[in-house]
Amino acid sequence: MSWSFSNDKPIFQQLEERIVLEIISGRYEPGSKLEPVRELAMTAGVNPNTMQRALADIENTGIIYTKRGDGRYITENTEIINEIRNRYVLKKTEDFIASVKALGLDEDGIVKAVREALEQGG
Amino acid sequence: MSWSFSNDKPIFQQLEERIVLEIISGRYEPGSKLEPVRELAMTAGVNPNTMQRALADIENTGIIYTKRGDGRYITENTEIINEIRNRYVLKKTEDFIASVKALGLDEDGIVKAVREALEQGG
Amino acid sequence: MSWSFSNDKPIFQQLEERIVLEIISGRYEPGSKLEPVRELAMTAGVNPNTMQRALADIENTGIIYTKRGDGRYITENTEIINEIRNRYVLKKTEDFIASVKALGLDEDGIVKAVREALEQGG
Amino acid sequence: MSWSFSNDKPIFQQLEERIVLEIISGRYEPGSKLEPVRELAMTAGVNPNTMQRALADIENTGIIYTKRGDGRYITENTEIINEIRNRYVLKKTEDFIASVKALGLDEDGIVKAVREALEQGG
DNA sequence: GTGGTCTAGACCACC
DNA sequence: GTGGTCTAGACCACT
C-alpha cells in the first residue's frame, strides 16, 4: 500500500512533511534508527532517489543524522525535536486561527470555540 | 480564471464546499442574489450541469433558495447561516485539536498555544 | 385561467368528472341554473362542442336537465345527487383501501389509521 | 415495456415514488439487491443518468445504500422502511379524508364509509 | 461487471 | 433572460 500524494506540491516535499511529522509525533524514539532508504522508498511507493532527497533535506534541519556505512538515526537532541514540533504546532494554530477569523470570529470567540470543543471531546 | 480542484473528491462537492464557505464568510449578504448558474459555471471552469448539481445540493440545506425564472438567492434566515457557520467552525476546531493532540499536546497546552498565537498575531 | 387536463383520458371525460364533482360538492344548489355552455367552455379553455358533449353525458345520469330555450339546471331531486355522491365516496374509499392494503395494512390497521388521522387533523 | 409518466412532475421524481413504493410494499426483501442502474433504466425506458439521479435521491432517505463496485441494496434496517411506509400511509389517509370531507362527510360518516367498504370487500 | 462523475447539448417552464 | 430536466456518451474507481 503506497502513500498518497497530491499534485500541487513536489512529492519529495510531501515525503519530508510526512516523515518529519512522524518523528515529532513520537513514532520514532530519539536516537533510534530509521529504516533504510530503499525500504522507506518502497513503502512509500516512490523512487529511492526521491526518498534520498527528502531525507537529505530533513537532515539539514538537524532532526536526523547519518552514520556513514550504518544508516540514519533520529537525533538524541530533544531540543531540536521540540523546536520543530513547536514550529509545527504554531503553524497549525495560525492556520486554524486564520480560517475561523475569516468566518467572523473574534479572539474571544476563538478561545471559546476551542474550550467548548475540548469539553465536548473530553 | 478557473478554480482549482483536487482529484480526491468529486468536483461538485468541492464546488459545494467553496460556495457555502463564501456564503458563511459573508461574501454574499442574506437575501442577495447569486450569479446565474451559467456564469458561476464559467467562472469555475466547469460544465453548467455540474454547477447546477452543486447548487441543488446546497439548496437542500436551506441556505439558498430558488425563484423560478428569476435566480437563486441567499436565505434571509440568518439562523440557518449561523448554524452552518457554527458547524463549520466546530469541524475546523476539532480537526485542529486532533492534529495537535497527535503531537502530544494536552488540553492546557492547546489553549496556551492558541492564546500565544493570538497575542503574537494581534 | 384554463383548467388543466392530463393526456391519459379524453378531455370530455375529465370535464364530466370535474363538473359532477362540483355539483355533488355543493358548489351548485339543487334546482339552480348552470352557466351557459359557451361560458363554461371558455372558462375551461375548451371547444364548446367538447363541453356540450360532456354536459350531454352528465345529463344521462339525471343530475342535470335541460329547459329548451332557457338553459341547464341542477336537478331538484336530492336523491339522485346523494346517490351519485355515495357512489363517488364508495369509489374513493375502495381506492384508498386498496392502496393501503397493498402496503400490508389489515382491516383493523386501516380503521386505526383513519381514526388517528382524524384525531390529528381535527 | 417502459413505465408511463405524467408530464406534471419530473420523471426522476416519479421514478423515486414508484421505486420507494415498491420497496415499502415488500417487492424487495430488506437487505436484498436492487437491479443494476442500467437495467432499471432500460426497464423504465429512461436514460441511465435519470435513474441514477432518482436512486441517489432515494439513497438520501436511507432506505437503500450502495456498495461501490457491487450494487445497491435495500437497507436491513426495517425501522427506516416502516417509518417511510407509515408516512406514506398517513399521506394517503389524509388525502382520502380531505377528498370525502369536501363532499360533506363528517368524521363519523368517514369511519362508517370505510367500515362498510371493508365489509363489502371482505 | 458495478456505481459515480462529468461534459455536451437540447428542450422546457417561468418571468 | 432565469433555473430545471433529460439524453447521450465518455471516463473513472472499485471488486
Side-chain angles (χ1 to χ4, degrees):
Chain A
M1 165 69 184
S2 312
W3 297 357
S4 64
F5 302 102
S6 65
N7 306 323
D8 58 348
K9 276 187 295 190
I11 289 182
F12 77 89
Q13 280 183 12
Q14 301 180 51
L15 289 173
E16 292 177 29
E17 289 167 11
R18 173 150 178 176
I19 294 168
V20 169
L21 191 55
E22 294 194 338
I23 295 171
I24 64 179
S25 318
R27 171 150 161 26
Y28 298 97
E29 290 293 310
S32 67
K33 194 176 183 174
L34 271 175
E35 293 85 352
V37 179
R38 285 171 188 77
E39 189 181 323
L40 284 172
M42 209 186 56
T43 305
V46 300
N47 186 292
N49 288 324
T50 309
M51 181 58 77
Q52 173 70 25
R53 169 162 185 191
L55 293 174
D57 272 16
I58 295 174
E59 199 156 342
N60 287 333
T61 69
I63 204 170
I64 61 178
Y65 64 94
T66 298
K67 281 191 194 165
R68 291 281 296 255
D70 180 2
R72 283 193 172 80
Y73 289 82
I74 312 296
T75 181
E76 296 89 355
N77 185 342
T78 54
E79 290 283 324
I80 294 182
I81 297 179
N82 283 334
E83 191 199 320
I84 293 179
R85 175 163 44 221
N86 290 341
R87 263 212 302 269
Y88 186 85
V89 168
L90 181 61
K91 186 177 180 318
K92 276 282 176 193
T93 310
E94 287 172 341
D95 287 351
F96 162 66
I97 289 173
S99 71
V100 294
K101 267 196 176 170
L103 291 173
L105 264 72
D106 60 7
E107 310 208 339
D108 287 344
I110 294 172
V111 175
K112 188 160 153 271
V114 173
R115 280 245 173 73
E116 285 175 0
L118 283 172
E119 283 168 17
Q120 221 170 17
Chain B
M1 163 70 185
S2 305
W3 297 358
S4 66
F5 302 104
S6 66
N7 32 12
D8 58 345
K9 275 187 293 190
I11 291 180
F12 77 91
Q13 280 181 13
Q14 301 181 51
L15 291 174
E16 291 178 31
E17 287 169 12
R18 170 150 178 176
I19 293 168
V20 169
L21 190 55
E22 294 195 337
I23 294 172
I24 63 180
S25 314
R27 165 140 162 37
Y28 299 96
E29 291 290 312
S32 66
K33 198 176 186 169
L34 272 172
E35 292 85 355
V37 182
R38 289 163 179 83
E39 189 181 323
L40 283 171
M42 213 184 54
T43 305
V46 299
N47 184 285
N49 281 324
T50 307
M51 181 59 77
Q52 167 75 19
R53 172 164 184 190
L55 293 174
D57 269 20
I58 294 175
E59 197 154 348
N60 287 335
T61 69
I63 204 170
I64 62 177
Y65 65 94
T66 297
K67 282 190 194 165
R68 284 284 293 251
D70 181 2
R72 282 196 173 81
Y73 290 83
I74 311 296
T75 181
E76 294 89 357
N77 187 345
T78 53
E79 290 281 327
I80 295 181
I81 298 179
N82 283 333
E83 191 198 318
I84 294 179
R85 177 165 40 222
N86 290 341
R87 265 211 297 269
Y88 185 86
V89 168
L90 181 60
K91 188 181 179 314
K92 277 282 176 193
T93 309
E94 286 172 342
D95 288 351
F96 162 68
I97 289 173
S99 71
V100 294
K101 267 195 174 171
L103 291 172
L105 265 70
D106 60 7
E107 308 209 340
D108 287 343
I110 294 172
V111 175
K112 188 160 152 267
V114 172
R115 280 248 173 71
E116 285 174 1
L118 283 172
E119 283 167 18
Q120 218 169 20
Chain C
M1 165 71 182
S2 309
W3 297 358
S4 65
F5 302 102
S6 65
N7 307 324
D8 57 348
K9 277 186 294 191
I11 288 182
F12 77 91
Q13 280 183 13
Q14 300 181 51
L15 289 173
E16 291 177 29
E17 288 168 11
R18 172 150 178 175
I19 293 168
V20 169
L21 189 55
E22 293 194 338
I23 294 170
I24 64 181
S25 318
R27 169 148 161 27
Y28 299 97
E29 291 292 311
S32 67
K33 194 176 184 174
L34 270 175
E35 292 86 350
V37 179
R38 285 171 187 79
E39 190 182 321
L40 284 172
M42 210 185 55
T43 305
V46 300
N47 187 290
N49 286 325
T50 309
M51 182 58 76
Q52 174 69 26
R53 170 160 184 193
L55 292 174
D57 271 18
I58 294 173
E59 200 157 341
N60 287 334
T61 69
I63 203 171
I64 61 178
Y65 65 94
T66 299
K67 283 191 193 166
R68 292 281 293 256
D70 181 1
R72 283 193 172 78
Y73 289 83
I74 311 296
T75 181
E76 294 89 355
N77 186 342
T78 54
E79 290 282 326
I80 295 182
I81 297 179
N82 283 335
E83 191 200 320
I84 293 179
R85 178 166 40 222
N86 289 343
R87 263 212 301 269
Y88 184 87
V89 169
L90 181 60
K91 186 178 181 317
K92 277 281 176 194
T93 309
E94 287 172 339
D95 288 351
F96 162 69
I97 288 172
S99 70
V100 293
K101 265 195 176 171
L103 291 172
L105 265 70
D106 59 7
E107 309 210 339
D108 288 342
I110 294 172
V111 175
K112 188 159 154 270
V114 173
R115 280 246 172 72
E116 285 175 0
L118 283 171
E119 283 168 17
Q120 221 170 18
Chain D
M1 163 67 184
S2 307
W3 297 358
S4 66
F5 303 103
S6 66
N7 33 11
D8 60 345
K9 273 188 295 189
I11 291 179
F12 77 92
Q13 280 182 14
Q14 300 180 52
L15 291 174
E16 291 177 30
E17 287 168 12
R18 172 150 178 176
I19 293 168
V20 169
L21 191 53
E22 293 195 338
I23 294 172
I24 64 180
S25 313
R27 165 142 162 33
Y28 299 96
E29 290 292 311
S32 66
K33 198 176 187 170
L34 271 173
E35 292 84 355
V37 181
R38 290 164 178 82
E39 187 181 324
L40 283 172
M42 213 185 54
T43 306
V46 300
N47 184 285
N49 280 323
T50 307
M51 182 58 77
Q52 168 75 18
R53 172 165 184 188
L55 293 174
D57 269 20
I58 294 174
E59 198 154 348
N60 286 334
T61 70
I63 204 170
I64 61 177
Y65 64 94
T66 296
K67 280 192 196 164
R68 284 282 296 251
D70 182 2
R72 282 197 173 78
Y73 290 83
I74 312 294
T75 181
E76 295 90 356
N77 185 344
T78 54
E79 291 279 326
I80 294 182
I81 298 178
N82 284 333
E83 190 198 320
I84 293 178
R85 176 165 41 223
N86 289 341
R87 266 212 298 270
Y88 186 86
V89 168
L90 181 60
K91 189 181 178 314
K92 275 283 175 194
T93 310
E94 286 172 340
D95 287 352
F96 163 67
I97 288 173
S99 73
V100 294
K101 266 195 176 171
L103 291 172
L105 264 71
D106 60 7
E107 309 209 340
D108 287 343
I110 295 172
V111 176
K112 189 160 151 268
V114 173
R115 281 246 172 71
E116 285 174 1
L118 283 171
E119 283 168 18
Q120 217 170 21

